[in-house]
Amino acid sequence: MMTPRTVGLGIAIIAAATSFSVLFLPAMTAPTQPSEIFRARTNIENEGRVLYIRNGCIGCHTQYIRPSDWAFEPLRVSQAGDYIADSPHLLGSERTGPDLSQEGGLHPDDWQAAHFHDPRFVRPASIMPDFEFFSDDQLRELIAYVQSLGGTMADARVARQNYWKPALIAAYARGQDANAEFLYAHVPPQWATLPNPYPADANALAQGEFVYEQECINCHGPVGDGNGVAAPYLNPKPFDFTVLKRQPWSGGLLYYQIMNGITGSAMPYFKEDLESAKIWDVSNYIATQFIGTAPTLPKVPIPYQGAIPASREPKGNKQ
Ligand code: HEC
Ligand code: HEC
């Protein structure tokens, strides 16, 4: 019988069960130990976190990689102890943009600055709003915060970006030809000499053009000379492909650089975003559209100086 008493009792039981499971149980089982990648944030990183909260970044970004997430290469499944210093936590539930829990060190600061100024500068098809209105100090704070996401794993990637950046800036300052040779010297020889296995037919070039316009054009520019709209924000500047008219190159060299990115520069790691055929197609597009001469080997041998490790690689924090 549904007497007022049974209804009242029912409500009380449901209310007790709900508050136990959503209030008390989480509080009782909340982590008290930091995870192995945890580190405390610095003051500037905390300032950046305030900007993250105020500007609604959580509306589009999560900071939580679930065990069920399937990705090309999930960097780490998040652990409760990663968030021990976070109140309120910023796990989020909307993924209009990518998860940011391991964002630190995937890109150097100059890429981040260009991206916040206008996301289209570095990702032409992006739908993220621009944050041009930040002052220089605020931008520094927000970048410090995103570079800290991922704890000590992020620190290792940031250290690798900072290790390579001065070497790349120095090579760029020696002139475009010296820079092309420097980059060549850091591509494994089996790649530097590999021809593009795909024919540069009309389909491949149309696909390559599409990829170029979706991903590359605002850095490398509509005519491939490195003068895209993002260039003023970046150091070293985007590569001028026309330099390869007089420098050694191969389809495999282009492929390797696009796949791996160039850690320390804004050149992103595309292995996760572009499948292999698309990388060969955009290489063919660059070759026919901007270089226009046949691949050549170095006239004077360029000794191999070891690879620049990709920003996403889990190990090897310096070389
Ligand atoms: C309307 C949704 C939206 C909002 C709001 C938003 N983003 Fe994004 N964000 C995106 C999308 C979509 C991408 C992927 C495309 C791109 O890189 O621009 C992205 C990409 C990013 C990336 C690059 C991730 C990578 O390495 O590829 C970072 C960092 C980032 N956002 C930070 C922020 C921060 C910080 C804020 C707040 C100040 C913010 N976003 C606000 C949608 C959003
Ligand atoms: C955010 C800017 C940015 C984007 C986007 C970008 N690049 Fe780059 N790229 C660079 C920079 C900067 C360098 C040069 C680094 C240096 O000189 O140290 C570079 C270098 C390269 C190189 C190396 C050339 C060589 O001879 O070693 C290739 C190839 C290349 N980019 C192709 C591409 C392709 C293809 C895309 C799109 C799929 C792309 N890049 C997107 C910034 C970018």
Side-chain angles (χ1 to χ4, degrees):
M1 282 281 281
M2 280 289 223
T3 61
R5 232 176 105 184
T6 26
V7 172
L9 192 67
I11 292 173
I13 292 175
I14 292 169
T18 321
S19 46
F20 177 74
S21 58
V22 305
L23 293 176
F24 297 107
L25 198 61
M28 280 154 50
T29 55
T32 49
Q33 292 300 312
S35 68
E36 76 284 5
I37 67 158
F38 173 84
R39 72 154 170 83
R41 273 188 295 272
T42 61
N43 286 344
I44 179 170
E45 290 162 2
N46 277 323
E47 296 297 333
R49 188 170 188 274
V50 172
L51 292 170
Y52 188 95
I53 294 169
R54 284 200 189 141
N55 287 279
C57 313
I58 198 173
C60 291
H61 290 286
T62 59
Q63 289 188 23
Y64 176 45
I65 303 180
R66 299 162 300 188
S68 59
D69 281 336
W70 187 90
F72 166 73
E73 201 178 273
L75 283 164
R76 168 189 165 88
V77 172
S78 305
Q79 307 293 320
D82 299 356
Y83 305 101
I84 194 147
D86 289 2
S87 178
H89 71 70
L90 299 174
L91 303 186
S93 59
E94 274 295 320
R95 280 193 184 162
T96 306
D99 180 88
L100 296 180
S101 58
Q102 284 290 335
E103 174 65 15
L106 294 184
H107 303 279
D109 290 356
D110 57 345
W111 184 97
Q112 292 287 356
H115 185 252
F116 284 128
H117 188 83
D118 185 339
R120 264 69 51 201
F121 282 7
V122 293
R123 286 256 168 79
S126 175
I127 57 157
M128 173 163 145
D130 64 56
F131 290 92
E132 226 184 326
F133 51 82
F134 285 140
S135 68
D136 290 350
D137 281 345
Q138 288 176 319
L139 192 61
R140 258 193 298 279
E141 290 160 6
L142 194 63
I143 292 176
Y145 175 63
V146 294
Q147 296 290 34
S148 79
L149 294 174
T152 56
M153 279 174 81
D155 291 345
R157 291 190 296 265
V158 169
R160 197 186 298 164
Q161 296 280 3
N162 293 342
Y163 174 86
W164 286 99
K165 170 137 328 256
L168 294 177
I169 291 176
Y172 188 81
R174 288 197 293 274
Q176 289 193 314
D177 291 85
N179 189 44
E181 283 171 33
F182 174 90
L183 293 175
Y184 190 100
H186 289 89
V187 172
Q190 65 272 31
W191 286 98
T193 55
L194 185 74
N196 191 326
Y198 282 64
D201 59 22
N203 277 343
L205 294 179
Q207 179 72 58
E209 180 176 18
F210 179 75
V211 172
Y212 191 80
E213 285 168 3
Q214 291 273 306
E215 301 283 358
C216 329
I217 193 164
N218 287 346
C219 284
H220 291 285
V223 293
D225 61 356
N227 277 321
V229 281
Y233 296 85
L234 307 178
N235 191 14
K237 302 284 179 215
F239 194 81
D240 174 356
F241 297 122
T242 64
V243 171
L244 299 180
K245 288 176 187 289
R246 50 177 197 270
Q247 286 293 336
W249 70 278
S250 69
L253 170 114
L254 300 178
Y255 186 100
Y256 180 85
Q257 301 288 58
I258 300 164
M259 164 178 82
N260 244 27
I262 303 175
T263 306
S265 84
M267 175 63 196
Y269 171 95
F270 280 106
K271 196 170 162 182
E272 199 194 15
D273 296 332
L274 297 176
E275 61 211 58
S276 179
K278 287 187 181 166
I279 302 184
W280 288 119
D281 288 346
V282 73
S283 303
N284 264 327
Y285 177 76
I286 290 170
T288 42
Q289 199 70 17
F290 307 134
I291 309 177
T293 55
T296 45
L297 290 174
K299 287 180 204 77
V300 185
I302 301 177
Y304 177 48
Q305 291 177 27
I308 300 176
S311 60
R312 284 180 67 98
E313 273 168 26
K315 295 217 174 60
N317 63 358
K318 290 213 164 70
Q319 305 189 11

